[in-house]
Amino acid sequence: MKINIDLGKQQLELYNDLGKSLRCYSVSSSAKGAGEDPGSYCTPRGRHIIRAKIGAGLPENAVLVSRRPTGEIYTPELGAQFPKRDWILTRILWLSGLEKGINRLGKTDTMRRYIYIHGTPDLVRLGIPGSHGCIRMRNTDLVELFDLVQAGTEVDIRE
């Protein structure tokens, strides 16, 4: 399996080992564009792998903070109580860069920047940039993707 994320199209596509497209999902990358600098809130480019899968078995809309479930389930009412919160829901696919000096090690390290593919509230519009650096997905799509991929799956992020 391999994942390609096209930042221009705001799409994530899953391929099998023979290069056949299996699924295509609408996503949302950073509102600030592409970039690797820490604190930039940009989506890092280049070759990555899924380093960790977090949240197996959690219900859809389960809230995660610091990669741990809080016990909360997102609702529009909860969202209204915390309007500035960056909601990380349902599952996390934690990315790790593979390109030394670009997205691995040092200041530009994707994993140290806590860049994930994660769920987002259903009312968040996808198909346009809007995240704080991560790749946001519809919760149902993320559950499907999470179940199809393994830790170690390659993820290529391109403009």
Side-chain angles (χ1 to χ4, degrees):
M1 298 281 199
K2 181 177 181 184
I3 294 171
N4 285 344
I5 298 173
D6 185 320
L7 299 178
K9 293 180 180 177
Q10 295 291 291
Q11 285 185 337
L12 181 153
E13 197 158 3
L14 176 66
Y15 295 88
N16 69 13
D17 292 336
L18 300 174
K20 179 183 177 196
S21 176
L22 300 176
R23 305 280 192 286
C24 188
Y25 305 103
S26 185
V27 298
S28 179
S29 64
S30 174
K32 296 191 177 211
E36 293 68 44
D37 291 335
S40 67
Y41 297 100
C42 292
T43 299
R45 295 163 289 201
R47 293 177 42 245
H48 298 81
I49 60 166
I50 296 171
R51 176 68 68 194
K53 293 174 56 173
I54 300 167
L58 290 176
E60 281 190 29
N61 291 304
V63 177
L64 295 110
V65 174
S66 298
R67 296 159 308 284
R68 290 182 173 58
T70 65
E72 300 165 296
I73 300 296
Y74 179 86
T75 62
E77 294 77 24
L78 184 62
Q81 284 181 324
F82 304 99
K84 295 188 185 221
R85 195 164 166 187
D86 182 20
W87 296 100
I88 297 173
L89 305 179
T90 307
R91 307 277 188 281
I92 292 172
L93 298 171
W94 193 354
L95 301 181
S96 179
L98 293 175
E99 299 172 279
K100 190 173 180 182
I102 296 173
N103 57 28
R104 179 159 175 75
L105 304 175
K107 293 180 180 180
T108 62
D109 191 271
T110 295
M111 191 166 185
R112 287 186 191 149
R113 290 183 57 209
Y114 302 102
I115 300 294
Y116 316 134
I117 300 170
H118 66 79
T120 194
D122 288 338
L123 15 126
V124 169
R125 190 165 163 215
L126 298 180
I128 60 168
S131 82
H132 297 158
C134 292
I135 301 295
R136 294 177 178 169
M137 291 184 72
R138 217 31 85 230
N139 293 296
T140 54
D141 293 345
L142 179 59
V143 169
E144 180 179 73
L145 179 66
F146 188 94
D147 290 342
L148 290 170
V149 299
Q150 302 299 317
T153 298
E154 287 190 36
V155 179
D156 194 27
I157 303 174
R158 300 282 174 218
E159 290 184 273

